[in-house]
Amino acid sequence: MKYKNMSAFLLLAITFSVTSFSQDLLSKEEAISQMLVNNFGIKIAENQVEVADNNQSVLNSGYLPTLTGNANAQYDRSNETREFPGAFNEDGSPRPNTEIEGAESQSYNASLNVNYLLFDGLGRFYNYKQLKETYNLTELQARETIENTTLQLFSVYFDVARLTENLEVFKQALEISQKRVTRSQYGFDYGQSTKLEVLQAEVDVVTDSVIVLNAKQQLLNAKRDLNVVLNRELETIGFQVDTLVEFENDLLLESFVEKAEFNNVTLLQAESQTRISDFEIKANKALLLPSVGLTGSYGWNRVNSPASAFFPGSVSRGNNLTVGANLTWNLFDGGRSIVGIKNAKILNDSQKLQEQQFELQVNRDIANALGNYRNLLKIYKIQEQNVETNQNNLERSRERLNLGQISSIEFRQAQINLINVQTNKNLAKYDAKLAELELLRLTGQLLNVEF
């Protein structure tokens, strides 16, 4: 009776938790769409691309002239006493001091200045090309972020799918165990079986119930992990995922592998960094050449001067236009430009060596990924056959149990064997698919296929 009460409680808990799931389907396409819009890492990468796009603008190129405006206004008020020692009037009396109080003066001026660099040894040209290539590199880095996040997404998505299928397997096992309890109880009531068989069946029900509860909790945890990748409310768990998995055609995969050197994002980034290094050398060489520029300015001024002891007050106005050209040639800067060119060439050589290293590593990774994928796909097909074999074995064991030809322990072992191969098959299926996605990422095709 004790076992019956416990199993009834566990059944109630399982029924409540399972039926609380909504049947809303989160498809693979919808998951990718939400990831692209909401994922934090992808948002940051998009911001970096936007910054690089701003940097490659003509407004940041140095090709446009500069225009500055200046304006000034000044006011002065003073009191002045001027003495004339030794000076006399016509009548011979000493000349009195002259006092000026509250003498005010104002001055105003404004100017516009234009500077335009005509030629700087092509340094500006190569710096602009560097900014353009840096933008391309940033786009490749953003693509790499999206590819890695997509792999992360499917790793968690398929984990949810695997746990969902495992939960169904465990629920079916629990249902079989429940039927065994009923059949054993009937057999005991009619004297065809012992109480031990009833107790063993009830123990198996409890065991399977606990397994189902644990699987349910693991599924909830995996759904929260998926919500983190999608950047949505953690407790949005009332959804199901698509458990259907389709594999790409093997010939198509081989064509992807053949073109991997033109599409792999790591190799493309290395090539981009080499081009940036080339531009850096040319920009440093430009420091050895002269620069030519144009200047121009237009100014206006006005000065109001107060009366003095010798002159009456005055107002002066004026404007001026100035146009000029300048030539600057740094004939010798202590050798800094030469050192800069040498270092740029060394860094360029290092970048080319790193590009060769990446190519070798990527080719290795692709070969390993292709081998892993094919191996896991074979394992999955073997596990499929194994499931069919164990299902037939369980059905035959059920018939023999009903005929009393095997014990409940032997039947339980057949049931456990089926559970194990079913969960192994689920694991093999999603492992093979993830291996395929990794191969697609390495060949640069992950974002070009349908899921």
Side-chain angles (χ1 to χ4, degrees):
M1 197 66 181
K2 180 179 178 181
Y3 286 106
K4 290 182 178 179
N5 293 337
M6 185 179 298
S7 62
F9 171 77
L10 290 172
L11 279 174
L12 180 61
I14 292 168
T15 303
F16 175 77
S17 59
V18 171
T19 55
S20 63
F21 272 128
S22 170
Q23 298 303 315
D24 293 337
L25 177 66
L26 177 65
S27 66
K28 301 181 185 72
E29 293 77 12
E30 178 62 24
I32 293 175
S33 177
Q34 291 186 25
M35 177 199 71
L36 293 175
V37 174
N38 299 326
N39 183 267
F40 287 118
I42 292 177
K43 285 184 177 181
I44 293 172
E46 289 174 346
N47 288 340
Q48 292 171 340
V49 171
E50 189 174 351
V51 170
D53 189 26
N54 292 335
N55 288 337
Q56 70 158 351
S57 167
V58 69
L59 298 176
N60 191 44
S61 66
Y63 276 105
L64 300 180
T66 61
L67 176 64
T68 58
N70 298 302
N72 182 54
Q74 184 173 340
Y75 170 80
D76 182 62
R77 187 177 188 276
S78 62
N79 297 322
E80 182 180 354
T81 299
R82 186 174 292 275
E83 299 179 352
F84 302 95
F88 300 90
N89 293 327
E90 293 180 356
D91 59 1
S93 62
R95 183 174 178 179
N97 297 337
T98 302
E99 294 185 1
I100 301 176
E101 295 183 359
E104 296 180 350
S105 64
Q106 302 94 27
S107 65
Y108 310 93
N109 63 75
S111 65
L112 290 174
N113 304 288
V114 179
N115 289 280
Y116 183 63
L117 184 64
L118 286 177
F119 177 76
D120 67 342
L122 296 178
R124 174 178 53 182
F125 173 74
Y126 291 115
N127 286 332
Y128 187 50
K129 280 186 169 293
Q130 272 187 289
L131 293 173
K132 289 285 188 181
E133 192 59 45
T134 300
Y135 171 74
N136 294 334
L137 176 61
T138 307
E139 280 197 319
L140 290 172
Q141 290 169 343
R143 172 187 152 187
E144 183 179 33
T145 298
I146 294 174
E147 287 180 350
N148 292 336
T149 307
T150 301
L151 269 184
Q152 180 189 10
L153 168 69
F154 278 110
S155 176
V156 182
Y157 186 95
F158 287 147
D159 196 37
V160 174
R162 179 181 65 84
L163 292 172
T164 299
E165 290 191 313
N166 284 354
L167 180 59
E168 291 302 315
V169 170
F170 298 143
K171 286 165 59 181
Q172 291 173 6
L174 175 59
E175 184 178 355
I176 292 174
S177 297
Q178 291 168 349
K179 291 180 179 179
R180 272 184 55 213
V181 170
T182 303
R183 184 175 58 253
S184 299
Q185 187 62 49
Y186 283 152
F188 175 73
D189 292 341
Y190 290 99
Q192 296 178 352
S193 62
T194 65
K195 185 62 177 179
L196 179 61
E197 291 185 0
V198 177
L199 294 176
Q200 288 176 339
E202 290 178 344
V203 168
D204 291 340
V205 167
V206 173
T207 300
D208 291 341
S209 300
V210 171
I211 291 174
V212 169
L213 287 175
N214 287 334
K216 171 62 169 52
Q217 185 59 48
Q218 291 174 355
L219 179 58
L220 292 177
N221 294 344
K223 287 187 175 183
R224 293 189 183 96
D225 291 339
L226 182 58
N227 288 335
V228 170
V229 179
L230 299 178
N231 185 23
R232 62 182 191 174
E233 178 61 37
L234 290 178
E235 296 306 319
T236 305
I237 54 178
F239 64 90
Q240 300 292 334
V241 297
D242 186 3
T243 58
L244 177 63
V245 170
E246 295 180 355
F247 296 96
E248 296 291 340
N249 182 276
D250 199 55
L251 293 177
L252 183 62
L253 290 178
E254 289 182 359
S255 68
F256 289 161
V257 171
E258 292 174 358
K259 300 176 182 178
E261 61 179 312
F262 305 107
N263 298 310
N264 178 272
V265 70
T266 300
L267 297 181
L268 293 177
Q269 287 183 70
E271 293 172 2
S272 179
Q273 289 171 336
T274 300
R275 286 192 291 270
I276 291 174
S277 182
D278 290 335
F279 293 141
E280 182 67 24
I281 295 175
K282 295 175 181 178
N284 276 280
K285 287 181 177 180
L287 297 175
L288 302 177
L289 299 176
S291 62
V292 180
L294 294 178
T295 60
S297 67
Y298 174 79
W300 170 87
N301 62 79
R302 173 190 172 102
V303 179
N304 298 334
S305 301
S308 66
F310 301 100
F311 301 99
S314 65
V315 177
S316 65
R317 302 182 184 87
N319 56 65
N320 65 289
L321 176 66
T322 303
V323 178
N326 58 71
L327 171 67
T328 303
W329 196 344
N330 191 353
L331 297 177
F332 184 69
D333 62 355
R336 294 179 181 176
S337 298
I338 296 175
V339 172
I341 294 172
K342 289 182 177 179
N343 289 338
K345 288 182 178 179
I346 294 173
L347 293 175
N348 181 258
D349 290 339
S350 297
Q351 183 58 49
K352 289 179 179 178
L353 291 172
Q354 192 173 48
E355 185 177 345
Q356 295 174 9
Q357 180 186 16
F358 285 157
E359 183 176 0
L360 183 62
Q361 291 174 345
V362 167
N363 288 335
R364 176 206 61 193
D365 293 342
I366 290 175
N368 290 343
L370 182 60
N372 290 338
Y373 165 67
R374 287 175 173 171
N375 184 61
L376 289 170
L377 192 59
K378 290 178 182 177
I379 292 174
Y380 169 56
K381 292 179 179 179
I382 291 173
Q383 293 289 6
E384 278 188 318
Q385 296 175 354
N386 200 18
V387 167
E388 185 176 352
T389 300
N390 277 271
Q391 283 176 336
N392 293 334
N393 181 58
L394 181 66
E395 290 302 320
R396 185 171 180 180
S397 298
R398 193 198 315 270
E399 294 173 358
R400 297 182 65 190
L401 177 66
N402 294 337
L403 295 174
Q405 296 177 350
I406 62 173
S407 67
S408 59
I409 295 177
E410 291 174 305
F411 176 80
R412 178 62 176 177
Q413 186 58 52
Q415 186 183 15
I416 291 175
N417 290 341
L418 177 59
I419 294 172
N420 289 338
V421 297
Q422 284 177 322
T423 55
N424 288 339
K425 183 209 72 171
N426 295 338
L427 179 63
K429 177 173 70 171
Y430 295 113
D431 279 350
K433 186 60 181 179
L434 287 174
E436 180 191 80
L437 294 181
E438 172 64 12
L439 179 61
L440 290 172
R441 183 190 71 83
L442 290 170
T443 57
Q445 302 295 334
L446 181 61
L447 306 180
N448 300 327
V449 297
E450 295 182 1
F451 298 99

